[in-house]
């Protein structure tokens, strides 16, 4: 009788732990991404100065690159350097020197990265800032 009770209690504990774990994962209780990041957003990010900067496919022109803000930041399986962009608030938009990322970004270069990805998906805003880019959008 004691042996059967032990198995019953063990099975009940396993079920409870399984339910709590499933609820925790689905609710984001346990490590489901980085704190403070909106999980509805996706994409490649560079972390600089405690902020997440979403990487765009826009290559920043050398003429508008400002001071070096950071070097050798961890990025995927390599590192990235970050520079200010003239006329842009570095808390929102900077340039990161990144390796080739996709067919839209097939070469290494200074990519525009921003804490506000919506700002740089607004085509009117992109056109208004065309002077920042190597190739005008």
């Amino acid at each position: 009788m004691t042996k059967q009770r032990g198995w019953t209690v063990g099975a009940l504990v396993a079920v409870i732990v399984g339910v709590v774990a499933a609820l925790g994962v689905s609710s984001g209780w346990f490590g489901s991404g980085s704190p403070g990041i909106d999980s509805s957003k996706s994409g490649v990010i560079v972390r600089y100065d405690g902020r997440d900067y979403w990487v765009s496919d826009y290559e920043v022109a050398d003429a508008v690159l400002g001071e070096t803000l950071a070097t050798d930041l961890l990025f995927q399986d390599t590192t990235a350097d970050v520079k200010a962009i003239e006329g842009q608030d570095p808390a929102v938009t900077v340039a990161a020197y990144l390796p080739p990322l996709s067919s839209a970004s097939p070469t290494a270069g200074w990519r525009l990265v921003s804490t506000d990805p919506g700002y740089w998906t607004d085509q009117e805003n992109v056109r208004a800032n065309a002077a920042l880019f190597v190739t005008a959008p």
Side-chain angles (χ1 to χ4, degrees), residues 6 29-31 34 38 41-42 61 65 79 90-91 94 104 119 123 130 135:
W29 292 342
F30 315 115
S34 301
D38 182 350
K41 297 176 183 172
S42 63
L65 291 173
T79 59
V94 294
Y119 186 70
Q123 290 307 303
T135 303

Side-chain angles (χ1 to χ4, degrees), residues 1-12:
M1 179 87 158
T2 304
K3 191 174 185 179
Q4 185 177 5
R5 183 179 301 153
W7 281 103
T8 304
V9 170
L12 181 60

